[in-house]
Amino acid sequence: MKLVLIILVGLSLAVAGWFNNVKEGLEIAKKENRPVAFYFYGSHCPYCAQMEEFVLNQEDVQKKLNNFVVISLNISSDDGSKWARKFGVPGVPTIVFYDPKQDKALGAIFGSRPRGEILNYINNICRKANLKTC
C-alpha cells in the first residue's frame, strides 16, 4: 500500500508539475503572480490515494489547478507540519488555497471529495482571487 501511495503521489506531481519544495513554489507564485494551492497528504492515507487517483489526476481538475502553483506536502514532514499548523489543517487530504502576496489563506477543503465538489470549490476560489483564466 505504501508503494502504491508513493507512486500515486509521484504520478500526480509529474502530471501536474507540482512542487514539493515550499520555497521554490512560493518564489514561482510570486514571480508569476499566481495563488498557491497547498495539497497536504499523508504517506499512509487511503483517502489521499483516493483523491489522487480519482480526482486530482482528472484532466478537468488538472486544468483548473494549472491556475495555481501547487505545492504538495506530506503532513509528517517538517515543512508539511509547519505549514499545516499555520493554516490549521485538520487532517489529510486537505487543499489550502493561499495568496502569497497578502500572506492570506483564501480557503481550504478537507477530506476526500467528489470531483464535482472539488471543481466547484476551485471555481469559487478563482472568483475570490479574481482569476480570469479559471
Side-chain angles (χ1 to χ4, degrees):
M1 181 68 168
K2 183 177 181 179
L3 180 58
V4 171
L5 288 173
I6 291 168
I7 290 169
L8 285 173
V9 170
L11 287 174
S12 296
L13 294 171
V15 172
W18 292 7
F19 295 88
N20 59 7
N21 180 298
V22 176
K23 184 178 177 186
E24 182 182 358
L26 290 175
E27 285 174 6
I28 295 291
K30 289 175 185 174
K31 179 180 172 186
E32 296 179 0
N33 198 28
R34 292 193 300 167
V36 173
F38 282 97
Y39 170 61
F40 293 92
Y41 69 92
S43 298
H44 303 288
C45 169
Y47 302 108
C48 300
Q50 183 180 12
M51 278 286 289
E52 291 157 13
E53 184 175 357
F54 299 111
V55 177
L56 298 177
N57 275 331
Q58 300 305 307
E59 188 175 336
D60 52 354
V61 175
Q62 289 286 320
K63 186 175 178 180
K64 290 287 183 188
L65 287 173
N66 284 338
N67 293 285
F68 301 84
V69 172
V70 181
I71 301 172
S72 180
L73 291 172
N74 186 323
I75 201 162
S76 298
S77 71
D78 289 342
D79 267 351
S81 67
K82 173 184 148 190
W83 284 88
R85 280 192 308 275
K86 173 181 173 106
F87 295 126
V89 171
V92 290
T94 295
I95 304 172
V96 175
F97 297 91
Y98 172 74
D99 181 346
K101 293 181 297 185
Q102 298 179 30
D103 188 26
K104 176 177 130 180
L106 301 170
I109 189 164
F110 165 66
S112 181
R113 305 290 182 98
R115 192 178 106 256
E117 190 174 334
I118 295 293
L119 286 170
N120 286 337
Y121 196 85
I122 294 171
N123 285 334
N124 288 334
I125 292 295
C126 288
R127 281 191 290 279
K128 190 174 188 177
N130 294 317
L131 297 178
K132 308 281 187 244
T133 59
C134 263

